[in-house]
Amino acid sequence: MAHPRSLKKIDGKNEMEDINMYTISGSANWANLADFILSITRINEPDRAFTRLDVLKVRDQELCRTGTVYYTRQPCGRYEEHESEEECGG
């Protein structure tokens, strides 16, 4: 587990830059040594809330691929998987 360095605000707005392999503290070591790098972001907006899972690096492409998956929490406590941010409600 690693944490991002101090993220910069985008154009002075209240939004932060996206996390990638090079925004992780000690990024050169993580980017070179890790077999998998995942980033989890929780988005809480007034009309919707969801979790975004970004697969940033996969060393063995036969196991899985890089990409993004979106999840929404259901009232029963389980998570429902979505292919796009638009499917997460709103």
Side-chain angles (χ1 to χ4, degrees), residues 53-72:
L53 171 65
D54 296 307
V55 180
L56 302 173
K57 179 182 178 183
V58 177
R59 188 174 304 274
D60 186 356
Q61 296 289 315
E62 293 178 13
L63 295 175
C64 63
R65 296 182 311 269
T66 59
T68 302
V69 181
Y70 301 89
Y71 295 96
T72 53

Side-chain angles (χ1 to χ4, degrees), residues 16-86:
M16 300 297 217
E17 64 180 315
D18 285 335
I19 295 174
N20 61 41
M21 286 192 294
Y22 301 102
T23 56
I24 299 171
S25 290
S27 60
N29 290 328
W30 286 103
N32 293 331
L33 297 176
D35 291 333
F36 296 91
I37 297 180
L38 308 172
S39 170
I40 299 173
T41 306
R42 292 189 181 110
I43 288 82
N44 289 311
E45 297 176 350
D47 57 341
R48 63 185 178 166
F50 60 94
T51 302
R52 183 179 76 210
L53 171 65
D54 296 307
V55 180
L56 302 173
K57 179 182 178 183
V58 177
R59 188 174 304 274
D60 186 356
Q61 296 289 315
E62 293 178 13
L63 295 175
C64 63
R65 296 182 311 269
T66 59
T68 302
V69 181
Y70 301 89
Y71 295 96
T72 53
R73 187 179 172 108
Q74 303 303 307
C76 64
R78 293 184 178 190
Y79 285 85
E80 185 175 293
E81 185 176 316
H82 303 283
E83 291 186 18
S84 70
E85 193 172 317
E86 290 77 30

